[in-house]
Amino acid sequence: MALERTADPDEVRRAVRAWQAEGLTVGLVPTMGALHEGHLSLVRASVAECDRTVVSIYVNPAQFGEGEDLQEYPRRLDEDCRVAEQNGVDLVFCPTDRVMYPQGHATFVVQERLTEVLEGAFRPTHFRGVLTVVCKLFNIAPADRAYFGQKDFQQTVVVRRMVCDLNIPIRVRVMPTVREEDGLAMSSRNECLTAREREQASCLSRALVEARRVYEGGRTDAGALREAMRAVIAAAPLARPDYVEVVDHETLEPVSEVTDRAVAVLAVRIGRTRLIDNMPFGPSASD
Ligand code: AMP
């Protein structure tokens, strides 16, 4: 089937409803485009598990704060659609800002507690933007399953919380982080790194690997793991950490003892680019 592409929410809803009326299941993969192997792993999971796959491509201004990289964020819709089609996507929803936030738009999804820590502490309006757009996408494309990446761990936690709290009838699936050869988690933002920054950017994943090594060596106090991660990052001269933590996978509260509920999380600025990464200590729950 050829790929359809539309900026019209009504067309998307009609298509999803029509497929479901035929008894077909539908997967939704929300993205901001500049598709890479990380995104494609979600697409492939959806294509494998669902009869039809919708990908949304929208750089959502509401989730960027003042002075963040909204203008610089890479955009290449035509190429993304080609890649989407090659990977079995049925429909791409690529709305404009006017469609998503028309004049007079005044409703936002605000979540307490979970959005105030980690990323939320450094990007106070970020999750309000994320949850608003994800909720809108779930209404526009009322799919059976929605696919998110473990790479944005806190996002998976707050989206699951919203789906539960607002009784949204969609199953959230979380797929493992896809990495470059040196361990750097794939991200559209990696394109913004200079060659020297790119080299040092592997300190995030190296810090996580070091945390696992220390843990597997028998240390379960989170303080020791935090110190081990900080030391790896401190050895990269261009890296400035925003936070380096070990938190509970559901409450996001810092833990003192590492169990299989713990996740190591970090955010590091490398030059002007801010990167995040994480590593669950337990089996990462996919749904
Ligand atoms: P984005 O376009 O950055 O908003 O990402 C769209 C979706 O792709 C989110 O659910 C991300 O968590 C997921 N994603 C981004 N990078 C990766 C990666 N390296 N591995 C797995 N999923 C990813």
Side-chain angles (χ1 to χ4, degrees):
M1 220 172 72
L3 175 101
E4 302 256 358
R5 163 173 163 176
T6 179
D8 180 356
D10 293 333
E11 257 185 59
V12 175
R13 196 179 297 105
R14 270 200 301 273
V16 171
R17 292 281 189 231
W19 285 325
Q20 288 167 333
E22 287 178 51
L24 302 175
T25 57
V26 181
L28 169 67
V29 183
T31 81
M32 298 204 297
L35 300 183
H36 51 65
E37 280 298 315
H39 298 115
L40 294 180
S41 71
L42 309 185
V43 166
R44 291 186 193 115
S46 173
V47 168
E49 294 177 0
C50 306
D51 300 308
R52 296 288 181 269
T53 292
V54 180
V55 170
S56 63
I57 298 180
Y58 179 56
V59 182
N60 172 33
Q63 71 190 68
F64 288 77
E66 292 237 340
E68 289 187 1
D69 56 352
L70 175 61
Q71 303 310 327
E72 291 87 354
Y73 202 85
R75 289 166 173 85
R76 39 168 181 266
L77 186 57
D78 289 336
E79 195 184 325
D80 285 347
C81 286
R82 241 188 334 271
V83 173
E85 180 162 28
Q86 281 163 3
N87 282 274
V89 172
D90 300 283
L91 179 61
V92 167
F93 175 50
C94 45
T96 60
D97 289 341
R98 236 180 337 149
V99 163
M100 293 303 269
Y101 299 102
Q103 184 127 47
H105 183 281
T107 307
F108 291 87
V109 178
V110 176
Q111 186 179 98
E112 299 178 359
R113 292 193 312 276
L114 296 172
T115 59
E116 290 158 16
V117 297
L118 304 175
E119 286 302 285
F122 289 86
R123 308 180 70 191
T125 57
H126 175 63
F127 288 116
R128 170 184 186 262
V130 168
L131 291 174
T132 301
V133 82
V134 169
C135 185
K136 286 166 74 72
L137 291 169
F138 286 176
N139 284 322
I140 291 165
D144 301 277
R145 301 189 184 95
Y147 292 80
F148 293 87
Q150 173 70 27
K151 147 99 187 346
D152 296 277
F153 160 66
Q154 190 173 7
Q155 174 170 282
T156 68
V157 175
V158 304
V159 166
R160 279 189 203 282
R161 190 73 252 164
M162 173 182 74
V163 163
C164 176
D165 291 350
L166 300 184
N167 306 90
I168 300 176
I170 200 161
R171 193 164 145 205
V172 173
R173 302 271 292 129
V174 177
M175 296 295 134
T177 302
V178 178
R179 299 177 179 281
E180 303 283 359
E181 246 170 51
D182 66 349
L184 176 65
M186 288 195 182
S187 163
S188 309
R189 288 197 166 96
N190 295 351
E191 295 176 21
C192 306
L193 299 166
T194 65
R196 195 158 156 256
E197 289 168 352
R198 171 64 190 83
E199 246 169 57
Q200 297 189 21
S202 66
C203 71
L204 282 87
S205 58
R206 285 188 284 112
L208 295 170
V209 168
E210 178 62 8
R212 177 164 299 281
R213 197 185 65 79
V214 171
Y215 175 65
E216 285 173 355
R219 299 292 298 270
T220 57
D221 53 317
L225 301 191
R226 266 196 299 272
E227 285 321 304
M229 291 193 282
R230 281 190 182 284
V232 173
I233 290 158
L238 297 176
R240 288 183 310 279
D242 275 352
Y243 59 81
V244 177
E245 265 301 344
V246 185
V247 300
D248 180 81
H249 71 169
E250 208 176 314
T251 67
L252 302 181
E253 279 166 18
V255 298
S256 48
E257 195 68 16
V258 178
T259 66
D260 63 1
R261 291 181 58 92
V263 182
V265 288
L266 69 179
V268 177
R269 281 171 293 134
I270 310 240
R272 296 181 56 226
T273 307
R274 191 168 176 283
L275 301 175
I276 58 173
D277 202 348
N278 70 88
M279 179 189 63
F281 285 93
S284 48
S286 61
D287 62 3

